[in-house]
Amino acid sequence: MDFATGIDLAPCNTLALPGRAAYYLRVTAAAQLADPALAGRRRFVLGGGSNLVLTGDVDRLVLHMAIPGRRLAGEDGEAFYVEAGAGENWHDFVQWTLAEGWPGLENLSLIPGTVGAAPIQNIGAYGLEVGELLHAVTAWDFEKQAFFTVDRSACRFAYRDSLFKQQGWHLDGRMAICSVLFRLPKAWRAHVGYAELARELAAADAAAPTPQAVAAAIVAIRRRKLPDPALTPNAGSFFHNPVLPAAQAAALAADFPGLPCYPQADGRVKLAAGWLIEQAGWKGKALGPVGMYEKQALVLVNHGGATGRDVQRTMAAVQQAVRDKFAVDLQPEPVFL
Ligand code: EPU
């Protein structure tokens, strides 16, 4: 098989970082993955590039997942089963499910990226994680040279985490997700527990909100707070919200009144990294061409012309500032390549 060579990846990552792929293949059908020419190479599987820091040229075969397709795969008394190809745009897919009358994913509206990438870091927003509505993932295993399907319970979903990350499969290019099957319960209920969402809906006077009203509210909040990657290159939240033992969180809360604390089911407490970064003086601040966004301090932005090295410098400076003030280590959310 002939691969394209020296392909510019700047348009393929939402931070618009420079870097060239030694070899590149656009994958538009799952069957392409079974070509033996792919198995012998070091690979990286690329989706929408919205959770990626390119640190330079990529000395691998980059497989750009563009498998299309979306359909109602089945239905029973309780749920609709909807399937989508890995290359489908996530937001367009969510809007399509709503238009077809299969609600459930509306809280995840406007998240950048592709359907195939969604399970890897278990995308989540406004009180919902994709793992809650996912039924199964089908992927190609380059080592076993076979397709495999993982059902929801085996995906080991956790906060911004899954089997695919835990096993290092994604970073190694060991497998490529081809399609995702969702289970959308017919007994729909709105997830409006997130305070900002409840406020937005109240302002829109949506007492008993429809899925479309929830989606519109989410889109409005995100447009207000998060930069549009097409105008200001970014990769969404740049750090995980840290989850601490309860005693450590309580000690911090005593020292820093106003510290947002979210108790977790396992007894630990999640903090808001954006708050920590803002308090550490980094909201709207930059080092060279890379800074933290002025309206949401958790979002790292490329103000123009940045390289992966610039991103790493700003990241390290922010981590140090938060460590100095709060003795908390922030872990980056994106994959570094
Ligand atoms: N905050 C500040 N200053 C800031 C930013 C936030 O004080 O500059 C405070 C807010 O006032 C609030 C708290 O931090 O009390 C939480 O902020 P927000 O509701 O904006 O959410 P987040 O924790 O910063 C997370 C996800 C987002 C998701 C939102 C909404 C992570 C790493 N990020 O952000 O996900 O959209 O909640 O559910 O969990 C993403 O992963 O790329 C992403 C955008």
Side-chain angles (χ1 to χ4, degrees), residues 63-102:
L63 297 172
H64 202 172
M65 300 304 288
I67 300 173
R70 51 194 194 189
R71 68 187 180 109
L72 181 65
E75 179 182 350
D76 59 23
E78 272 144 38
F80 298 107
Y81 294 82
V82 182
E83 188 178 44
E88 290 288 326
N89 173 274
W90 174 260
H91 176 69
D92 292 347
F93 169 67
V94 171
Q95 302 314 296
W96 173 74
T97 59
L98 297 178
E100 293 290 330
W102 311 317

Side-chain angles (χ1 to χ4, degrees), residues 3 10 14 23 25 89 134 146 149 153 205 215 258 322:
F3 301 118
T14 61
Y23 303 97
L25 179 68
N89 173 274
L134 185 146
T149 296
S153 59
D205 207 17
V322 168

Side-chain angles (χ1 to χ4, degrees), residues 121 124-127 159-160 194 196 222 225-226 235-237 239-241 260 262 270 272 274-275 278 283 295-298 333:
Q121 66 148 346
Y126 306 100
Y159 168 60
R160 295 293 190 272
Y194 204 91
E196 201 176 2
R222 292 188 73 102
K225 284 176 54 167
L226 299 171
S237 297
F239 297 100
H240 289 156
N241 281 330
Y262 309 100
K270 193 194 270 181
W275 190 90
E278 178 172 352
K283 189 171 191 166
K295 293 188 209 153
Q296 223 297 8
L298 189 48
E333 202 181 85

Side-chain angles (χ1 to χ4, degrees), residues 97-151:
T97 59
L98 297 178
E100 293 290 330
W102 311 317
L105 295 168
E106 54 282 349
N107 288 45
L108 305 181
S109 294
L110 215 60
I111 294 183
T114 56
V115 168
I120 296 173
Q121 66 148 346
N122 187 18
I123 58 170
Y126 306 100
L128 183 72
E129 289 180 344
V130 75
E132 296 172 55
L133 293 173
L134 185 146
H135 194 61
V137 174
T138 297
W140 172 257
D141 184 325
F142 290 98
E143 278 175 28
K144 294 192 177 145
Q145 289 287 291
F147 289 102
F148 65 102
T149 296
V150 193
D151 66 20

Side-chain angles (χ1 to χ4, degrees), residues 7 30 41 44 70 79 104 113 147 153 172 184 190 215 227 238 242-244 277 306 326 330 333 337:
I7 295 296
R41 295 194 181 256
F44 181 73
R70 51 194 194 189
F147 289 102
S153 59
D172 288 357
L184 305 174
F238 196 80
V243 184
L244 305 184
I277 294 168
F326 300 104
L330 293 182
E333 202 181 85
L337 186 64

